[in-house]
Amino acid sequence: MKKLLLLLFFVCFSFSAFSQDIDYRKYFEVDLDAPIPDLKALRREMEKASAIYEPRYVLSWDMGPAFDSVWRYVITSYGTSEKRIRAAGEEDLTEMILSLPKDFYPYIGPFLHSVPGIPEKILNLPGIKETKNKFPERIAPQLADVDNLEFLSPYLYILLMPEMWPDNNKNVEMPRLRKAKLPKVPYTPEFYANISKEIASGGYGGPNQSSEQALKDNLRTIHPTKSSPLSTSDVVAFTNTLDGVLAFSTLDHKFQLILAGNLLDYYEAKNGTALDMNTLKDIVNPCQRLALKIKWAGLETEFLKIVSKEGFNLKEWAFTCDKTIKAYRTIVISDATLATLQSYKRGLYNGHLASLSSKWRGRQRATMEGFVEMYRTNENDVRQAIKNESIIKEKLLPFGSLMLTSPLSY
């Protein structure tokens, strides 16, 4: 019955989240036919762009006969002025501090002032600047009588905040749960007769399914696309490749895929098609993203030796894999996840998103849209996943939970 309810939910649930300024769905699309750029030139460009400074020498034990004045200036001035190179994560730290309630500032400000290398723009933020060398005024009653408390390290000032102690927070009064009285429904033979017409006694894919449906299940899709419906034979063929995919997941291949993934992320950021958290793409369409990285890593020939045994090319395997995984996600979805998706669709998070800074609001919105896309499927594919749930679960088990986000657990 639970599976039937989930199936009906996904048939009726239209995943058209409330209107927004950015169409995040386009960021999750994967074009496996896109031309591959000059990867050697792109890698040199990425390495140059990611360099913190130019060392102006090749080997540390062979720096040349004369000391480089430019090098001297870099090593003596780095981190001591606002002209320094911005540190990674600096903007994120600033946004996090700005998103905190001002009541937190007296408890984190003194610590920030004591940490070497904190940017001046953070230390001069209104509310943070005034806390330098200042002991918090509001102290949790549990610590008020502690001797020499003023000598506490600023790192631990956050523990002085009264709200950090559960005993100081008001308990939320929960309503008393009562058992609902189920209405008495008279037995109506017509109702059950109608159900029997729609669902065979053996369940989905049971012995009483129509010969037409049985024929469709036994046929493979000749050229699978992103939108072509799955058949049981498609699902079984895909699961038959997973032992080989697991064997393909060697340490060397994982390393090559990591490098290809970094290069792909840089290329997408350069062309304005990347998300702040680009790994969301790997969660939404894990197999298509894996196929793209395999192409960029030059491993397509080796991978085809595995999937071609079941009649797949790289793109067809990726499409079948993603459709199967999304349908499988749907039938094993938890009640909590389902409730979160429904709440997001109804706009219950709008107030929270509006309270965030623009950067964090965009990240949160992209995350939620990616969450929605993880479960974008259709009735037919869900039915096929239900019929083949045991074999899908068995074949995915060796990969661990990461198979639902990234097929190779790197």
Side-chain angles (χ1 to χ4, degrees):
M1 181 58 70
K2 180 181 179 181
K3 290 180 178 178
L4 287 174
L5 292 175
L6 286 173
L7 178 59
L8 291 173
F9 165 76
F10 276 91
V11 171
C12 300
F13 194 94
S14 64
F15 285 133
S16 54
F18 49 87
S19 60
Q20 49 201 319
D21 296 333
I22 301 176
D23 178 17
Y24 285 99
R25 189 174 178 181
K26 66 182 181 182
Y27 287 96
F28 299 115
E29 291 294 326
V30 181
D31 185 3
L32 294 176
D33 294 320
I36 299 177
D38 184 341
L39 297 182
K40 289 184 179 180
L42 186 65
R43 186 174 299 281
R44 289 194 297 268
E45 180 184 327
M46 181 181 72
E47 291 172 352
K48 185 177 180 180
S50 61
I52 296 177
Y53 50 73
E54 172 56 56
R56 302 171 73 86
Y57 63 88
V58 178
L59 300 172
S60 60
W61 46 267
D62 184 16
M63 294 187 180
F67 194 82
D68 194 316
S69 59
V70 175
W71 171 248
R72 178 181 182 279
Y73 172 77
V74 170
I75 62 176
T76 56
S77 64
Y78 180 74
T80 61
S81 72
E82 281 302 294
K83 294 181 180 179
R84 61 177 173 71
I85 300 172
R86 188 168 57 193
E90 181 176 314
E91 290 299 322
D92 288 347
L93 178 60
T94 305
E95 294 288 348
M96 289 174 64
I97 293 173
L98 291 174
S99 66
L100 287 172
K102 296 299 188 290
D103 292 341
F104 276 82
Y105 284 10
Y107 303 93
I108 64 172
F111 171 64
L112 292 174
H113 283 284
S114 69
V115 177
I118 295 293
E120 289 294 328
K121 71 175 183 179
I122 291 180
L123 298 180
N124 288 323
L125 288 173
I128 295 294
K129 181 179 181 179
E130 294 78 8
T131 62
K132 184 177 183 180
N133 298 326
K134 186 175 181 182
F135 191 75
E137 297 178 358
R138 295 173 56 247
I139 305 298
Q142 291 86 344
L143 301 174
D145 298 330
V146 176
D147 295 333
N148 301 319
L149 193 62
E150 63 273 16
F151 297 108
L152 184 71
S153 168
Y155 176 76
L156 299 175
Y157 279 6
I158 191 65
L159 298 179
L160 302 177
M161 188 174 181
E163 290 77 11
M164 296 302 294
W165 294 74
D167 294 342
N168 301 333
N169 299 320
K170 295 181 179 180
N171 294 327
V172 178
E173 185 176 350
M174 302 297 294
R176 181 180 298 178
L177 299 178
R178 297 180 181 178
K179 291 184 178 180
K181 294 182 179 180
L182 298 177
K184 294 182 179 180
V185 180
Y187 174 76
T188 54
E190 295 81 7
F191 174 74
Y192 291 98
N194 290 333
I195 291 180
S196 298
K197 293 179 181 178
E198 297 296 329
I199 303 176
S201 60
Y204 293 112
N208 292 337
Q209 65 177 331
S210 67
S211 57
E212 179 183 357
Q213 183 60 45
L215 178 61
K216 290 181 180 179
D217 285 349
N218 291 329
L219 293 177
R220 286 284 302 277
T221 304
I222 298 177
H223 296 296
T225 64
K226 290 183 180 181
S227 58
S228 60
L230 285 173
S231 70
T232 289
S233 294
D234 294 333
V235 175
V236 172
F238 158 66
T239 56
N240 286 342
T241 67
L242 291 182
D243 290 337
V245 172
L246 187 62
F248 175 81
S249 178
T250 63
L251 183 61
D252 180 58
H253 286 167
K254 290 178 182 179
F255 181 70
Q256 292 183 62
L257 289 169
I258 290 174
L259 295 179
N262 292 338
L263 200 59
L264 178 61
D265 289 341
Y266 172 76
Y267 180 75
E268 291 178 340
K270 173 185 174 182
N271 289 280
T273 58
L275 295 166
D276 278 350
M277 297 181 292
N278 218 37
T279 51
L280 286 172
K281 297 181 178 183
D282 299 286
I283 296 174
V284 173
N285 291 306
C287 306
Q288 292 177 62
R289 290 287 289 181
L290 173 63
L292 194 57
K293 293 174 186 178
I294 286 174
K295 291 181 67 175
W296 280 49
L299 297 173
E300 184 173 1
T301 301
E302 291 187 48
F303 195 77
L304 282 176
K305 293 178 182 178
I306 299 169
V307 299
S308 62
K309 295 177 182 178
E310 294 295 330
F312 290 115
N313 61 29
L314 181 62
K315 183 165 65 172
E316 292 170 352
W317 178 87
F319 291 157
T320 305
C321 172
D322 277 342
K323 287 185 289 187
T324 302
I325 286 181
K326 288 184 178 183
Y328 180 70
R329 286 169 175 164
T330 298
I331 65 174
V332 298
I333 192 172
S334 66
D335 294 338
T337 302
L338 193 59
T340 301
L341 286 170
Q342 289 177 311
S343 298
Y344 177 67
K345 177 179 180 291
R346 294 169 183 165
L348 298 184
Y349 294 140
N350 285 8
H352 169 67
L353 291 172
S355 68
L356 301 176
S357 64
S358 59
K359 183 174 184 177
W360 286 95
R361 182 167 58 249
R363 287 185 175 184
Q364 188 66 45
R365 180 87 71 184
T367 300
M368 293 306 299
E369 286 297 311
F371 193 35
V372 168
E373 293 298 318
M374 283 177 61
Y375 296 91
R376 186 177 292 279
T377 184
N378 56 70
E379 178 182 355
N380 172 81
D381 292 355
V382 172
R383 287 177 181 270
Q384 298 302 330
I386 290 175
K387 287 188 285 188
N388 298 282
E389 179 179 358
S390 59
I391 185 63
I392 297 173
K393 181 178 180 180
E394 176 188 345
K395 291 296 185 178
L396 291 182
L397 189 61
F399 291 89
S401 59
L402 287 178
M403 183 60 194
L404 298 184
T405 55
S406 183
L408 297 185
S409 54
Y410 57 79

